[in-house]
RNA sequence: GGAGAAGUGGGUGAGCGGCUGAAACCACAUCCCUGCUAAGGAUGCGUACGGGUAACUGUACCGAGAGUUCGAAUCUCUCCUUCUCCA
C-alpha cells in the first residue's frame, strides 16, 4: 500500500512516480479525492459520536440522581439516527478508498530505469563466461528425456499440462540442489524456516498478490485458502500485525517450498520443458529490516544468489529491471539470469526485490524505534528456482553424447553409488 | 466426532451494563534514596486514525464479526483458537 499521507502531502511527486509505473493519472487523482472524502466523513462521524457518548454519560448521572430523562432520551434517539447515516457514509468512503488503494502498485525508486518490458532492463554485470561447445548444445527437455531424468507426458497424465515428474538422478539432483541452496543461505545468515503451503486471503493481501492477481492463484474449493505462489507470502506474513523490537532486526530467513501458479496470461510461452510449470520448487530468501538496513541486505541477497550459481559453475548475468518489468510490490528489483546454451540466451533464475514499506503497510509489520512505531522494509528473492537451476546444469554441463556432468559442489549431496 | 471451560494491555491476572482504556502485581523507563552484591520510594509506561505550535484532546480497539441498549470488556448469536473430559 502506498503512503496516503505522503500522497496527500506531496501529490505531485507521488503521482509522477506512480505514472512511471503506468498507473493511470485519473486513478491517482481519484485516490486523493477519496482519501479527502474519507477524512471528512470520519471527522463528521467522530464529532457526532462524541456528542452521543457525552449524552450517554449524562444519562447515567440523571438516573442516579433520579432526574427526568425523557427529554434527554429524545435528543439521544434523534442523534442516533444521524450517526447511523454518518457511519454509513464513512463506511462507503472507506471501502471505495480501500478498493482503489489496494490495487495500486508500489512506487518505483528513482534509480529504476524507465522502460516498457524486459528488453529495457539494464545489464549490470556478467559472471563467468559461457563455454564454447564443439557441437550444437541441446535444449534441456531433450537431455532430460534422453537421460530419463524428467518425464513430461506422465506429468500431464497425473495432472495437466505444465506438470512434470522427475526420476532417478533427476529427482535426486533436485533434492541435492534444495539442500545445497538452503545450507548455502544458512551460511550467509539466513535462518531456515518451514512454512505452510496454504495461506489465507489476508496473507496474500499483505504481500500484494491479492486483490489484483487472484486469477493466477490456485484456490481451495469452499475455503478462503490458496496455494502459495512463492514462499515470500508465508515468510513475510509471519510478522503480520506485529510490532517488532528494534534489536530483532534484521530478520533473515530462507525457506524451501513448492510454488503454485496458474500462469494465467502465459499461454503459449515456454510450453515445452520445465521453465514454466504450474508447480515448481523454489528456495526463497526473505528479510525483514529497518529502512536504513534494507539496501545493504538487498545487495547481500543478490550476492548470495549469484554466489550459488558461481559455486555451481553456471554463467549468469545480473540485470536491473526497468519500470515496465517491475512487479506490483517492488520498489526496485534485480534479476539474475542464467545462461542456457541450448536456448542460446540468458533466462531468469532469480528475482530479488526491495518492497521498502509497501508490504509492511499492507501487512502492518512495524518495529519500535525508541518511542515511535515505524514500518519495516521487506525484501524477497529467489535463491534459487530449483527447476531452472536443474535446466541450467543440464544445458551447461552436457557432453556431445548427451551425458551430463554433475557439479562438484553437489556431489557430497548425492550418493553416487546408488 | 460428542460434552464442558476459557480467550482482557509486554507477562500474570481483577473486572457490578454507566464512576473502566481498563485494578493489582511483575517486567520496562526515568528520577530520588542508599553504597554493597540487593532493597526501598516517586513518576511514567498499549495501538490505530483524527484535531491542535504545544499543553492537550476526539474516536475506535478487552480473540474476530454481528446484535440488544441512550450506554457493553460485562448481555445475546455466529465464527476462530486454546485447554479438559468422553468416544
Amino acid at each position: 500500500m502506498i503512503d496516503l499521507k505522503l500522497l496527500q502531502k506531496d501529490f505531485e511527486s507521488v503521482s509522477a512516480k506512480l505514472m512511471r509505473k503506468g498507473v493511470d493519472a485519473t486513478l491517482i487523482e481519484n485516490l486523493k479525492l477519496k482519501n479527502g472524502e474519507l477524512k471528512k466523513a470520519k471527522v463528521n462521524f467522530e464529532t457526532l459520536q462524541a456528542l452521543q457518548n457525552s449524552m450517554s454519560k449524562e444519562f447515567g448521572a440523571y438516573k442516579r440522581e433520579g432526574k427526568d430523562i425523557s427529554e434527554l432520551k429524545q435528543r439521544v434517539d434523534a442523534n442516533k439516527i444521524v450517526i447511523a447515516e454518518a457511519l454509513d457514509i464513512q463506511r462507503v468512503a472507506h471501502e471505495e478508498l480501500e478498493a482503489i488503494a489496494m490495487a495500486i502498485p508500489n512506487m518505483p525508486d528513482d534509480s529504476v530505469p524507465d522502460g516498457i518490458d524486459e528488453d529495457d532492463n539494464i545489464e549490470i554485470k556478467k559472471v563467468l563466461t559461457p563455454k564454447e561447445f564443439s557441437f550444437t548444445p541441446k535444449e534441456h527437455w531433450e537431455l532430460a528425456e534422453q537421460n530419463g531424468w524428467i518425464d513430461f507426458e506422465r506429468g500431464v497424465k497425473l495432472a495437466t499440462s505444465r506438470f512434470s515428474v522427475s526420476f532417478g538422478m533427476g529427482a535426486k539432483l533436485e533434492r541435492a540442489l534444495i539442500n545445497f541452496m538452503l545450507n548455502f543461505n544458512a551460511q550467509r545468515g539466513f535462518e531456515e524456516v518451514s512454512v505452510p503451503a496454504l495461506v489465507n486471503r489476508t496473507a496474500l493481501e499483505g504481500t500484494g498478490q491479492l486483490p489484483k492477481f487472484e486469477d493466477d492463484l490456485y484456490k481451495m474449493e469452499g475455503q478462503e485458502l490458496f496455494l502459495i505462489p512463492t514462499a515470500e507470502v508465508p515468510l513475510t506474513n509471519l510478522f503480520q500485525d506485529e510490532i517488532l523490537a528494534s534489536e530483532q532486526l534484521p530478520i533473515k530467513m530462507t525457506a524451501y517450498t513448492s510454488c503454485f501458479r496458474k500462469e494465467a496470461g502465459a499461454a503459449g510461452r515456454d510450453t515445452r520443458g520445465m521453465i514454466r510449470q504450474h508447480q515448481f520448487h523454489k528456495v526463497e530468501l526473505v528479510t525483514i529490516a529497518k529502512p536504513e538496513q534494507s539496501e545493504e541486505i538487498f545487495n547481500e541477497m543478490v550476492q548470495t544468489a549469484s554466489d550459488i550459481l558461481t559455486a555451481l559453475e553456471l554463467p549468469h548475468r545480473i540485470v536491473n529491471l526497468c519500470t515496465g518489468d517491475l512487479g506490483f510490490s517492488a520498489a526496485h528489483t534485480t534479476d539474475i539470469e542464467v545462461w542456457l546454451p541450448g536456448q542460446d540466451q540468458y533466462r531468469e533464475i532469480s528475482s530479488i526485490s526491495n518492497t521498502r514499506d509497501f508490504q509492511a503497510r499492507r501487512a502492518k509489520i512495524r518495529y519500535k524505534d525508541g518511542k515511535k512505531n515505524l514500518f519495516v522494509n521487506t525484501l524477497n528473492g529467489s535463491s534459487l528456482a530449483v527447476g531452472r537451476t536443474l535446466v541450467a546444469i543440464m544445458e551447461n554441463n552436457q557432453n556431445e553424447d548427451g551425458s551430463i556432468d554433475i557439479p562438484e559442489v553437489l556431489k557430497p549431496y548425492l550418493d553416487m553409488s546408488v
Side-chain angles (χ1 to χ4, degrees):
Chain A
M1 182 110 95
I2 62 157
D3 185 351
L4 291 175
K5 255 190 213 160
L6 189 65
L7 176 80
Q8 211 65 259
K9 209 174 73 190
D10 197 0
F11 181 77
E12 290 310 316
S13 95
V14 170
S15 70
K17 284 179 186 185
L18 286 173
M19 279 162 76
R20 287 184 70 213
K21 200 142 163 186
V23 180
D24 192 43
T26 57
L27 194 66
I28 307 168
E29 193 72 53
N30 201 230
L31 185 67
K32 190 190 172 192
L33 215 71
K34 288 280 181 231
N35 193 35
E37 270 177 37
L38 176 62
K39 230 176 179 173
K40 239 191 267 164
K42 242 179 162 171
V43 169
N44 184 243
F45 166 75
E46 284 178 9
T47 310
L48 289 167
Q49 187 61 254
L51 178 64
Q52 188 77 351
N53 286 346
S54 74
M55 284 197 287
S56 288
K57 273 214 166 116
E58 256 184 274
F59 206 100
Y62 271 44
K63 280 221 145 169
R64 243 175 289 130
E65 295 160 20
K67 283 159 92 177
D68 177 39
I69 53 165
S70 59
E71 186 268 345
L72 180 61
K73 172 129 171 66
Q74 226 166 33
R75 268 165 44 209
V76 154
D77 282 340
N79 193 47
K80 209 179 170 186
I81 297 166
V82 184
I83 285 183
E85 282 167 17
L87 181 62
D88 217 45
I89 291 169
Q90 187 201 304
R91 210 201 60 239
V92 170
H94 180 78
E95 277 166 11
E96 287 176 352
L97 179 75
E98 194 85 342
I100 301 171
M102 288 296 275
I104 288 185
N106 199 2
M107 294 182 289
D109 279 4
D110 292 337
S111 63
V112 176
D114 279 308
I116 296 162
D117 55 28
E118 66 262 30
D119 295 333
D120 298 321
N121 294 341
I122 297 188
E123 181 182 303
I124 296 169
K125 66 168 174 179
K126 285 196 170 82
V127 181
L128 302 180
T129 318
K131 73 174 173 196
E132 297 286 335
F133 286 88
S134 57
F135 55 95
T136 308
K138 298 188 180 96
E139 300 220 40
H140 75 273
W141 54 79
E142 214 180 322
L143 295 161
E145 277 172 21
Q146 186 185 330
N147 285 283
W149 285 8
I150 301 169
D151 190 325
F152 296 102
E153 280 88 37
R154 286 196 167 88
V156 176
K157 185 199 277 188
L158 291 175
T160 178
S161 62
R162 290 198 197 279
F163 284 89
S164 63
V165 182
S166 304
F167 286 92
M169 186 51 83
K172 289 173 83 168
L173 269 169
E174 282 183 3
R175 182 158 54 87
L177 280 168
I178 292 162
N179 285 330
F180 172 65
M181 290 169 184
L182 284 172
N183 287 347
F184 199 99
N185 294 339
Q187 274 167 17
R188 297 291 172 99
F190 294 87
E191 187 187 13
E192 187 171 339
V193 186
S194 180
V195 291
L198 287 170
V199 292
N200 59 33
R201 183 171 289 274
T202 309
L204 287 155
E205 283 172 349
T207 29
Q209 283 77 16
L210 288 179
K212 238 191 148 179
F213 307 104
E214 186 156 351
D215 286 352
D216 208 35
L217 295 170
Y218 286 103
K219 189 181 178 202
M220 295 299 110
E221 185 159 346
Q223 282 191 81
E224 285 290 291
L225 285 175
F226 302 80
L227 283 166
I228 53 170
T230 159
E232 168 199 339
V233 180
L235 284 177
T236 308
N237 281 288
L238 281 173
F239 303 98
Q240 180 222 106
D241 207 18
E242 289 190 28
I243 298 167
L244 302 161
S246 179
E247 312 83 70
Q248 280 178 272
L249 302 175
I251 301 171
K252 297 162 73 182
M253 297 169 287
T254 185
Y256 153 72
T257 66
S258 284
C259 301
F260 303 88
R261 298 181 186 177
K262 281 192 177 171
E263 293 294 349
R269 291 180 66 191
D270 305 306
T271 46
R272 280 198 89 172
M274 65 182 318
I275 291 283
R276 199 173 295 277
Q277 300 267 290
H278 287 311
Q279 175 182 358
F280 60 96
H281 303 297
K282 183 154 63 71
V283 175
E284 182 79 359
L285 299 175
V286 164
T287 304
I288 314 285
K290 295 189 214 178
E292 64 268 26
Q293 298 169 328
S294 72
E295 273 315 284
E296 190 186 332
I297 288 166
F298 176 84
N299 292 328
E300 265 180 50
M301 289 166 71
V302 172
Q303 194 61 50
T304 301
S306 170
D307 287 348
I308 288 179
L309 287 171
T310 304
L312 291 165
E313 300 168 68
L314 293 170
H316 56 281
R317 64 171 189 166
I318 294 168
V319 168
N320 193 11
L321 294 201
C322 71
T323 51
D325 207 20
L326 213 55
F328 183 78
S329 298
H332 71 93
T333 297
T334 290
D335 270 13
I336 299 180
E337 298 180 342
V338 70
W339 175 249
L340 297 183
Q343 294 197 7
D344 194 33
Q345 60 173 333
Y346 285 97
R347 291 300 304 261
E348 177 194 333
I349 194 164
S350 172
S351 195
I352 295 135
S353 299
N354 188 348
T355 79
R356 303 219 178 262
D357 62 1
F358 184 79
Q359 291 180 329
R361 260 171 217 291
R362 294 177 150 241
K364 301 191 186 73
I365 310 173
R366 289 160 295 177
Y367 73 101
K368 226 173 193 31
D369 180 56
K371 223 44 201 131
K372 279 188 297 190
N373 295 319
L374 302 174
F375 287 108
V376 299
N377 278 192
T378 64
L379 303 98
N380 63 80
S382 17
S383 171
L384 303 158
V386 175
R388 290 188 180 186
T389 308
L390 184 58
V391 166
I393 289 171
M394 286 190 271
E395 294 203 6
N396 282 283
N397 294 10
Q398 62 179 296
N399 301 307
E400 189 158 15
D401 63 0
S403 64
I404 293 155
D405 299 329
I406 306 293
E408 281 304 318
V409 291
L410 288 185
K411 285 184 179 165
Y413 292 86
L414 295 160
D415 182 357
M416 305 291 278
S417 68
V418 287

